Amino acid sequence: MHWRDMDYEQRFIDIEIKLTAQEDLTQQLSELVYEQQKQIQELQALYKALVRRMNEGEAEGPDPYAQERPPHY
């Protein structure tokens, strides 16, 4: 085998190794984005529930459990 053929073969192997590493990284990033999207959706649902709860509380009047300031403040 000629030295150039060996050089090309080694370069090809190196490229395959790098491609495999890139595919692994892409898969990891895809999984991370998926998990983050799930967290965002959960936080949005929680936010909407809290806003709805606050709006319901405002419609019912002042919170009976809220601490009021004494008159001298």
Side-chain angles (χ1 to χ4, degrees), residues 4-17:
R4 279 190 153 176
D5 293 335
M6 289 175 52
D7 186 46
Y8 287 128
E9 184 175 342
Q10 185 59 47
R11 289 180 62 197
F12 183 71
I13 291 170
D14 291 344
I15 291 170
E16 284 182 324
I17 291 170

Side-chain angles (χ1 to χ4, degrees), residues 7-49:
D7 186 46
Y8 287 128
E9 184 175 342
Q10 185 59 47
R11 289 180 62 197
F12 183 71
I13 291 170
D14 291 344
I15 291 170
E16 284 182 324
I17 291 170
K18 289 178 181 179
L19 177 61
T20 301
Q22 289 292 322
E23 289 173 340
D24 290 345
L25 180 60
T26 300
Q27 181 63 34
Q28 291 173 2
L29 290 172
S30 179
E31 291 170 6
L32 180 64
V33 168
Y34 172 75
E35 291 299 322
Q36 287 179 338
Q37 184 59 40
K38 282 184 3 183
Q39 289 177 337
I40 288 169
Q41 289 171 344
E42 290 170 3
L43 289 170
Q44 286 174 331
L46 179 61
Y47 170 76
K48 288 177 184 178

